[in-house]
Amino acid sequence: MEPKIGVYICHCGSNIAGTVDVEKVAEFARGLPAVVSSRDYKFMCSDPGQDLIKKDIKELGVNRVVVASCSPQMHEPTFRRAVQEAGLNPYYFEMANIREHCSWVTESRKEATEKAKALVSAAVRRVFFHEPLENKEVPVNPDTLIVGGGIAGIQAALEIANSGHKVYLVEKEPSIGGHMMQLDKTFPTLDCSACILTPKMSMVGAHPMIELLSYSEIDFVSGYVGNFKVKIRKKARYVDITKCNGCGTCMTKCPVKIDSEFDEKLAKRKAIYTPFAQAVPNVTVIDKEHCTYFLKGKCRACEKFCERNAINFEQEDEMIEIEVGNVILTTGYKIFDPSVMKEYGYGRLDNVLTSLEFERMVNSAGPTAGHILLKNGQEPKSIAIIHCVGSRDEKYHEYCSRVCCMYAMKFAHLLKEHVHGAEVYEFYIDIRSFGKGYEEFYNRVQKEGTVFFRGRPGEITDVAETPEEQGKLIVRFEDTLVGKMRRLPVEMVILCSGIEPQADAQEMAHKFNISCGKENFFTEKHPKLDPVATMTDGIFIAGCCQGPRDIPDTVAQASAAAARVLALINKGKVEIEADTAIIDEKKCSGCRVCNLLCPYNAISYIEKDKVSRINEALCKGCGTCVAACPSAAITHKHFTNAQINAELEGILV
Amino acid sequence: MTENAKTTFLDEVAALPACDRINECIQCGVCSGSCTTVANWEYPPRKAIAMIRSGLRDELLSSNSVWFCVSCYLCTARCPRDIRPAAIMHGLETLALREGYKPPTNTTTMYRTFADSLIGNGRIYEFGFMFKYFLKTNPLAALRLIPTAVSLLMHRRMPLAPPKVKGRNDLDKIVRKMSEGGER
């Protein structure tokens, strides 16, 4: 079949045509070898644009197509489909990027036009050597792995499990629940956080389609969309999960007291413990680092009193391997540690709290049974709440944490409710109350008499300058709306610490072969149009691991991720791109260099034939093996030497 | 920028050394809240920046704000946008002087006498420096410092004779080189 090439130059409105002389480029393309048709059009991606291509294929016998327009990331699938609909193999298509690579980054019209010509000439010469390829289909395993058992993971797990598909929910802590379990009320409706979360938690615990792997961590991930293999480390609990019924006798008998992580170190827990009363699973775990038996070799009090013989000091970490088709990462966040901001005195001054500490304190199941108390056991009469601690600050995190304004106002409301006659002051830079019912909540808190000062305090000090300031915490700030300097003595300060990525976010991203942005939140496939997918097919993200967000947004995102997974499960198969590497077994010397280099473990050595072979489903077409093969036995389909040389030649002439 | 476009006060300040991030100020007030001398300022630093943006040139440059900045740099250390407020304050001092505004403090006399003493002696000569400073400003104010001076003298912490420094000629060359073409 003699190549007949059709070239189509897109104006992209003025995006390209504003800088590139598209007509000149089209005229130039007309003179290139084997080109039978060259046109320019306002929007090639539109239906009439695609019809131009289809018409030329049918009427002029065009059998190779070049579209010079945007990035292949945007519209390669569109044009491949158009070519296919006209009866050609979709791989008889090549895209020249004259927008991102040319018009958007070149100022001079002359230079941009010349560059566009070079890119078109390269694509035309390359497409000459294109060969028809067939995409492969692989089946999708209907099981799903969800990593992280906070509200995002719980929501996604229930959505998928309720559709009748198996879910493995992995949580590194002894219980699911995440940060939401630590919160007292939720803004703006003031639902009790635990009351709305625990029913979902127990549903997860009891669901026949959910296998809950608590106190477990991801060890190793291999495979590809539809067919992942995941190794999971089930950390030793030293308690037999099948025998323990959560009666709690061991916790009362254990002599060791340690700061409770769940209560932000404001209360104590035992060395054998469940993080909180409604834990799911309701099974204790022994904290090996603090257990007297593990430290000194004797005690075993828990073992003596356990009626069900559930304690097992000989338990070891267990590795299990599961196979799943899709993964949803819902690994959440941690809060910013304000002790690095010395000016606010956290950790140095008494009665300066973080937001999460206050959540525990105001909670009726918390360390003070819901009483707001100073270190001396008395109720504070005046409280300052400081917004934007660690957020909107280039020294820490440039971004806005999105939840602090709202929870700060929730705190003001709760303070007015819990402490009779409390004076509450909010120190803000800008109030961001953008959600449904949020602005109304702001109005409500204003009505309740909370005072709003616009200005971020410079410092909190305990050095008094007047008798009224004696024994108080003094907030030094400028009331910026008045332009006056103020010193405000208060008894308690709450720092609204921002949201930051988990410490192991990068490591986790690496395990699942996805990427992290500048701040270490996971990167979505497209910030607007594909917010729960990642660049790795079959790996989805939801909740704060992708960026700061509140509970309603997290739940919506988790459901969205579940919907994406269900779509893949329902279809039952995925198409794998045909541009993989292939080994010419006649040339292969069996040296196995490629086996070691392949980042996707797609190449294996066949002992019987003394050659290496590539698993096309695993191959991502990265080209590493092609470059490394000393016998030049490996070819990258759709990136053959002939194609690449022709492309280079096209750029250079 | 085209030639006939009017340069705003904001543009003027932004062009001063290390003041280029002034556009990014979010007016949070951390600079004011951190400032150690702000009690004396007519306009706190946050407001001074707002006034620069509003183009209130004469009002700000003729005020006593800015001149009380003692370069403790707390504002700059804490600014969430890294706009370096201290640099802006010093930039405004330079601008006010260049425009002929009379400083409300003795800051400039202090700087000038200090620099003269340094250049003249090669090292700071406290006795001569303070003597000249008070002569130029308010000789009576020096009386208040007599007990301190006596104490310093008795502990031999303030020599009466100027310090002897080796290589004075080389220092002169450096100073001359630095002064070439620019204001001293």
Side-chain angles (χ1 to χ4, degrees):
Chain A
M1 185 173 65
E2 187 197 343
K4 286 182 175 175
I5 304 173
V7 182
Y8 306 87
I9 319 289
C10 181
H11 298 200
C12 196
S14 62
N15 273 310
I16 294 169
T19 320
V20 173
D21 188 337
V22 282
E23 278 158 28
K24 259 200 189 147
V25 178
E27 194 190 306
F28 162 82
R30 221 162 279 140
L32 291 172
V35 171
V36 294
S37 166
S38 175
R39 306 173 191 277
D40 61 277
Y41 187 71
K42 227 168 174 43
F43 290 106
M44 278 310 296
C45 58
S46 66
D47 279 351
Q50 293 180 46
D51 287 344
L52 281 179
I53 301 175
K54 290 180 191 165
K55 205 165 151 238
D56 281 357
I57 292 174
K58 288 195 180 114
E59 291 177 4
L60 300 177
V62 163
N63 56 21
R64 303 276 196 285
V65 173
V66 169
V67 175
S69 59
C70 51
S71 159
Q73 280 282 356
M74 300 286 299
H75 274 304
E76 191 175 59
T78 313
F79 295 123
R80 274 190 180 168
R81 202 166 46 237
V83 169
Q84 194 170 21
E85 280 168 8
L88 273 186
N89 184 287
Y91 287 88
Y92 277 135
F93 167 77
E94 178 65 11
M95 203 155 173
N97 182 352
I98 59 166
R99 196 177 74 174
E100 284 86 341
H101 286 179
C102 181
S103 70
W104 278 356
V105 291
T106 315
E107 273 179 22
S108 140
R109 190 172 174 84
K110 191 164 164 272
E111 281 174 16
T113 307
E114 285 309 306
K115 189 172 181 185
K117 281 184 192 169
L119 290 168
V120 168
S121 138
V124 165
R125 282 172 166 84
R126 184 190 209 280
V127 83
F128 191 91
F129 292 100
H130 276 199
E131 286 158 16
L133 300 171
E134 294 303 329
N135 285 348
K136 290 238 159 34
E137 277 183 349
V138 292
V140 173
N141 185 319
D143 298 352
T144 306
L145 167 70
I146 297 178
V147 187
I151 179 58
I154 289 170
Q155 179 74 16
L158 287 173
E159 296 274 14
I160 295 171
N162 284 342
S163 77
H165 295 288
K166 168 117 187 164
V167 174
Y168 297 92
L169 178 59
V170 173
E171 167 59 51
K172 69 172 191 281
E173 300 295 333
S175 167
I176 56 170
H179 276 109
M180 186 174 167
M181 195 60 207
Q182 286 182 288
L183 310 181
D184 180 49
K185 300 283 193 294
T186 54
F187 59 78
T189 46
L190 300 171
D191 304 270
C192 153
S193 189
C195 311
I196 57 176
L197 181 62
T198 45
K200 280 183 180 277
M201 285 164 62
S202 52
M203 263 195 265
V204 167
H207 206 295
M209 296 311 284
I210 299 179
E211 185 169 336
L212 178 56
L213 300 164
S214 63
Y215 211 49
S216 301
E217 283 177 13
I218 303 298
D219 189 69
F220 186 75
V221 186
S222 61
Y224 53 96
V225 54
N227 302 274
F228 292 103
K229 280 198 180 115
V230 186
K231 278 195 190 130
I232 297 167
R233 176 185 301 274
K234 290 173 83 174
K235 294 182 280 186
R237 285 181 104 100
Y238 306 106
V239 175
D240 189 334
I241 199 161
T242 57
K243 290 184 187 163
C244 174
N245 65 354
C247 71
T249 310
C250 51
M251 290 193 266
T252 55
K253 300 297 175 190
C254 177
V256 186
K257 282 186 179 175
I258 311 133
D259 286 342
S260 156
E261 296 87 356
F262 179 76
D263 276 324
E264 293 293 313
K265 303 190 173 166
L266 296 175
K268 300 283 180 191
R269 64 159 170 84
K270 297 298 183 67
I272 184 165
Y273 71 107
T274 58
F276 48 90
Q278 308 96 316
V280 174
N282 191 14
V283 175
T284 54
V285 55
I286 294 179
D287 174 356
K288 195 180 178 184
E289 276 172 35
H290 296 100
C291 170
T292 312
Y293 173 70
F294 281 109
L295 293 174
K296 295 183 182 151
K298 53 186 169 191
C299 178
R300 300 178 87 127
C302 47
E303 192 181 34
K304 268 174 229 142
F305 289 96
C306 180
E307 286 173 6
R308 299 174 69 99
N309 293 323
I311 312 287
N312 175 9
F313 287 102
E314 271 69 56
Q315 214 178 61
E316 280 176 8
D317 287 7
E318 188 193 341
M319 296 296 285
I320 59 165
E321 188 168 301
I322 59 169
E323 288 182 12
V324 294
N326 292 283
V327 178
I328 304 178
L329 297 177
T330 52
T331 51
Y333 67 98
K334 66 184 174 71
I335 76 159
F336 171 75
D337 174 7
S339 57
V340 293
M341 298 179 80
K342 304 286 181 214
E343 61 267 36
Y344 290 157
Y346 177 73
R348 177 166 55 85
L349 300 172
D350 281 346
N351 303 318
V352 177
L353 305 180
T354 67
S355 41
L356 223 40
E357 287 170 350
F358 182 78
E359 292 278 5
R360 291 317 300 150
M361 188 182 266
V362 78
N363 189 278
S364 55
T368 57
H371 296 290
I372 313 298
L373 298 177
L374 298 169
K375 272 275 162 70
N376 63 12
Q378 296 191 326
E379 273 195 341
K381 286 280 161 255
S382 49
I383 301 100
I385 303 173
I386 301 180
H387 294 220
C388 301
V389 174
S391 315
R392 302 187 69 195
D393 191 330
E394 288 187 7
K395 292 183 171 61
Y396 310 103
H397 300 299
E398 195 180 346
Y399 55 80
C400 163
S401 289
R402 293 185 85 221
V403 291
C404 318
C405 281
M406 289 310 297
Y407 77 61
M409 294 194 280
K410 174 190 77 181
F411 287 176
H413 171 83
L414 294 176
L415 279 164
K416 293 274 183 189
E417 205 174 70
H418 285 243
V419 183
H420 182 69
E423 293 166 25
V424 186
Y425 304 96
E426 299 265 357
F427 291 90
Y428 69 98
I429 306 176
D430 300 288
I431 293 286
R432 294 181 171 173
S433 56
F434 45 80
K436 187 177 180 181
Y438 289 14
E439 187 70 12
E440 293 90 327
F441 187 73
Y442 176 21
N443 292 349
R444 175 177 174 182
V445 172
Q446 282 183 311
K447 266 187 217 156
E448 288 167 351
T450 294
V451 180
F452 286 77
F453 283 125
R454 193 199 170 280
R456 211 182 96 182
E459 57 200 32
I460 313 292
T461 173
D462 57 351
V463 182
E465 286 184 0
T466 61
E468 296 86 70
E469 291 179 357
Q470 247 359 295
K472 299 262 178 82
L473 294 164
I474 301 113
V475 184
R476 273 197 71 201
F477 71 104
E478 184 193 358
D479 183 340
T480 65
L481 296 180
V482 184
K484 283 276 186 290
M485 299 305 305
R486 297 278 308 270
R487 287 172 67 89
L488 183 81
V490 293
E491 289 175 319
M492 181 182 268
V493 173
I494 303 168
L495 303 177
C496 296
S497 286
I499 282 176
E500 58 183 27
Q502 294 280 16
D504 65 350
Q506 284 227 346
E507 199 188 316
M508 191 63 83
H510 189 73
K511 277 180 187 163
F512 286 94
N513 192 31
I514 61 170
S515 53
C516 285
K518 169 172 119 198
E519 294 272 8
N520 268 355
F521 290 111
F522 296 152
T523 310
E524 61 283 351
K525 192 167 189 177
H526 190 282
K528 294 166 193 81
L529 301 179
D530 213 347
V532 295
T534 63
M535 292 304 266
T536 304
D537 292 340
I539 311 279
F540 299 90
I541 50 179
C544 286
C545 61
Q546 186 252 351
R549 59 176 39 79
D550 55 15
I551 295 168
D553 284 5
T554 297
V555 170
Q557 227 186 2
S559 297
R564 296 293 300 276
V565 167
L566 286 173
L568 277 164
I569 295 174
N570 210 21
K571 199 176 175 198
K573 58 194 181 196
V574 280
E575 220 171 56
I576 301 281
E577 286 250 336
D579 58 337
T580 54
I582 186 164
I583 297 179
D584 182 346
E585 292 181 6
K586 282 195 218 89
K587 286 190 196 163
C588 175
S589 65
C591 74
R592 302 190 220 182
V593 164
C594 54
N595 294 215
L596 299 170
L597 286 172
C598 178
Y600 306 100
N601 296 321
I603 314 181
S604 47
Y605 181 66
I606 310 299
E607 194 61 57
K608 157 172 86 74
D609 301 331
K610 304 268 183 268
V611 291
S612 292
R613 206 166 283 160
I614 294 172
N615 178 343
E616 285 185 14
L618 288 174
C619 175
K620 289 265 195 294
C622 71
T624 307
C625 57
V626 184
C629 180
S631 325
I634 313 183
T635 311
H636 190 173
K637 289 188 267 180
H638 212 53
F639 284 88
T640 62
N641 285 348
Q643 288 165 359
I644 293 173
N645 287 338
E647 194 172 3
L648 286 174
E649 203 183 311
I651 289 261
L652 297 171
V653 293
Chain B
M1 197 181 294
T2 53
E3 262 177 59
N4 49 8
K6 197 166 174 273
T7 309
T8 62
F9 187 24
L10 179 61
D11 295 333
E12 195 180 5
V13 175
L16 296 169
C19 298
D20 52 317
R21 295 199 58 176
I22 188 169
N23 284 320
E24 291 162 61
C25 174
I26 53 172
Q27 291 283 301
C28 68
V30 159
C31 47
S32 307
S34 306
C35 182
T36 43
T37 58
V38 74
N40 298 312
W41 296 41
E42 264 173 77
Y43 310 114
R46 192 265 328 155
K47 195 167 184 183
I49 292 167
M51 289 169 76
I52 295 169
R53 287 175 167 181
S54 296
L56 302 175
R57 193 169 191 274
D58 185 61
E59 218 172 322
L60 181 59
L61 292 183
S62 60
S63 77
N64 77 1
S65 286
V66 173
W67 291 100
F68 286 104
C69 175
V70 291
S71 310
C72 72
Y73 286 97
L74 274 180
C75 53
T76 304
R78 292 175 187 168
C79 173
R81 282 298 170 98
D82 200 17
I83 69 157
R84 295 169 285 215
I88 294 173
M89 300 311 137
H90 293 315
L92 288 173
E93 284 177 335
T94 313
L95 204 58
L97 274 189
R98 205 185 287 159
E99 299 286 309
Y101 288 93
K102 196 180 152 2
T105 62
N106 292 326
T107 314
T108 47
T109 318
M110 170 68 92
Y111 287 170
R112 178 48 49 84
T113 323
F114 186 93
D116 285 347
S117 170
L118 194 66
I119 293 163
N121 300 299
R123 185 183 290 170
I124 269 299
Y125 168 39
E126 284 97 346
F127 189 75
F129 157 49
M130 289 314 286
F131 191 78
K132 276 187 195 153
Y133 171 72
F134 282 113
L135 267 186
K136 283 185 192 169
T137 55
N138 180 6
L140 291 176
L143 296 176
R144 184 160 62 81
L145 285 177
I146 286 176
T148 317
V150 169
S151 174
L152 281 170
L153 283 169
M154 283 174 62
H155 289 89
R156 298 210 200 155
R157 305 311 301 171
M158 189 170 72
L160 285 172
K164 292 192 180 94
V165 177
K166 282 182 195 165
R168 282 294 319 284
N169 291 342
D170 295 335
L171 179 71
D172 285 347
K173 272 185 217 159
I174 293 170
V175 173
R176 222 175 300 133
K177 187 87 184 164
M178 276 171 58
S179 313
E180 265 170 26
E183 297 163 65
R184 206 180 81 181

